[in-house]
Amino acid sequence: MTANLLDFDLEGLAAWCGSLGEKRYRAVQLFRWIHQKGAADFDRMSDLAKSLRAQLATGAELRALPVAAEHRSADGTVKWLFDVGAGDAVESVYIPEAERGTLCVSSQAGCAVGCRFCSTGHQGFSRNLTTGEIIAQLWHAEHSLRGTLGLAEGARAVDNVVMMGMGEPLQNYAALVPALRTMLDDHGYGLSRRRVTVSTSGVVPMIDRLRVDCPVALAVSLHAPDDALRDSLVPLNRKYPIAELLAACVRYLEAAPRDFITFEYCMLDGVNDSVGQAHALVQLLKPRLACKLNLIPFNPFPASGLKRSPAERVQDFAHVLQDAGIVTTVRKTRGDDIAAACGQLAGEVQDRTGAGARMARRRVEIPIALEGRA
Ligand code: SAH
Ligand code: SF4
């Protein structure tokens, strides 16, 4: 069977090269060609032995994801819709800022968690992405943007990756970890572990495993200060209630004491946005752990029956948290003209790509990880 080289982290590639009788340094060279230089053509890899190149030509490939659509916003935001086959599509969004570029990456086609406010959740689960499909989103973004942004030799486009696209990354753990390791690897994308964020709705056992296997930055989608409300918004809470989730967060920070957890909180009109709920949140978080709060303006979609909180209420909520000493940001939305903000993508995808009925049925949800101080 032909191996997809994007499926391997460096150790995996070294083992695969080993099976061909090649030494580890050959795997390092190959890994650098793929991830640092963006080479997909083995003939270009001039420092590899001809015999290895011949073996690669017959037994390996670099399986990039077909781009079903690409949209560029006036503010520089770029959004790609990738075709992952069988009518499924996933999306990645690049958000440029003055100091850095952030890429929002998907981990699954659909999502099984089924949060009430999330259009991906409403569509249900299709399948896990492979490691190669997760990394292919970064590979494509990084290497296509270097050209279109006209970056100098050695400069990189993506400085920050957030696993905040479609899907629950910690329900696709086996594929996620090698992808994260490739992002962190100095021979790969060389991102520091604070610049790679896994966002989760709270899969407690996997938070514990991530702490051991690959402790990158952690964002937890909280959305409610008590179990009754969280049960109704994030069904996974019935399995892993808030106390267990926060205990896992505390353990996570024990491994990295200078870090903090980012809690995401989607502001839903009349549901979770009262000043009383803000105080309850302070009581819940303040005594337990170092954290930041990221308040996300809800991007409505008809099936949710929910509405975005008015800006004033978001400000009042933020002030309660800030007065209690919790660093709180209100997420700005970007790429409005290309509908790249959270929950906005579905209709747009249906309208413009014409990529087939099944793909069109699959709504895509990309939160924009750009923050502005409240
Ligand atoms: N499954 C993971 C990561 C993907 S969702 C998680 O839930 O954390 C990433 C973020 O987008 C989550 O914080 C989620 O709450 C938020 N989100 C989902 N739907 C949204 C919507 N309609 N409007 C605003 N934010 C939304
Ligand atoms: Fe899944 Fe995250 Fe959407 Fe919940 S918010 S349904 S966990 S993608």
Side-chain angles (χ1 to χ4, degrees), residues 57-345:
T58 53
E61 65 177 323
L62 199 140
R63 211 170 297 148
L65 287 175
V67 178
E70 178 184 304
H71 300 304
R72 287 170 184 270
S73 159
D75 68 14
T77 302
V78 186
K79 176 176 73 124
W80 295 272
L81 181 72
F82 293 107
D83 181 353
V84 293
D88 285 318
V90 298
E91 194 125 1
S92 312
V93 178
Y94 176 73
I95 309 121
E97 295 170 77
E99 298 293 316
R100 62 179 187 183
T102 296
L103 187 72
C104 181
V105 170
S106 294
S107 56
Q108 298 178 314
C111 182
V113 177
C115 299
R116 221 169 95 199
F117 50 84
C118 174
S119 60
T120 304
H122 277 246
Q123 292 300 305
F125 177 66
S126 190
R127 71 170 175 88
N128 278 329
L129 298 188
T130 62
T131 298
E133 288 167 331
I134 296 171
I135 267 309
Q137 297 169 62
L138 174 57
W139 185 83
H140 180 86
E142 176 63 45
H143 298 292
S144 68
L145 285 167
R146 281 186 196 176
T148 50
L149 299 177
L151 298 184
E153 182 81 23
R156 69 174 166 215
V158 177
D159 311 283
N160 215 39
V161 172
V162 292
M163 298 301 305
M164 292 186 183
M166 210 170 180
E168 169 47 58
L170 294 187
Q171 287 189 337
N172 186 14
Y173 191 80
L176 175 72
V177 169
L180 296 176
R181 289 188 174 138
T182 301
M183 294 172 195
L184 301 181
D185 202 304
D186 283 342
H187 299 296
Y189 296 87
L191 299 175
S192 84
R193 47 174 211 89
R194 287 197 176 82
R195 288 183 171 268
V196 175
T197 299
V198 168
S199 176
T200 180
S201 55
V203 190
V204 165
M206 295 302 156
I207 293 176
D208 283 324
R209 284 187 59 184
L210 191 67
R211 184 187 78 226
V212 175
D213 293 339
C214 197
V216 294
L218 188 68
V220 171
S221 296
L222 192 58
H223 310 306
D226 61 80
D227 281 323
L229 180 57
R230 194 165 191 270
D231 280 352
S232 77
L233 294 174
V234 184
L236 195 65
N237 195 68
R238 292 180 208 137
K239 197 164 181 193
Y240 305 115
I242 292 175
E244 284 182 33
L245 177 56
L246 294 186
C249 291
V250 170
R251 291 192 293 275
Y252 201 86
L253 289 183
E254 278 165 9
R258 285 189 315 186
D259 285 7
F260 54 85
I261 307 284
T262 301
F263 288 102
E264 293 163 284
Y265 197 101
C266 186
M267 298 295 286
L268 305 166
D269 186 20
V271 175
N272 65 356
D273 61 351
S274 74
V275 161
Q277 285 162 320
H279 283 292
L281 206 52
V282 171
Q283 296 302 317
L284 187 68
L285 300 177
K286 188 90 202 284
R288 286 187 178 78
L289 76 181
C291 64
K292 290 187 182 177
L293 243 293
N294 192 359
L295 303 180
I296 313 171
F298 172 58
N299 283 303
F301 58 101
S304 71
L306 297 162
K307 287 194 298 229
R308 181 186 285 199
S309 302
E312 254 174 47
R313 191 131 12 101
V314 177
Q315 289 305 319
D316 292 346
F317 197 94
H319 285 142
V320 172
L321 296 157
Q322 285 166 339
D323 289 348
I326 298 179
V327 174
T328 304
T329 53
V330 178
R331 188 179 286 176
K332 285 188 239 158
T333 50
R334 288 273 299 263
D336 282 351
D337 56 328
I338 57 165
C342 311
Q344 289 187 316
L345 300 166

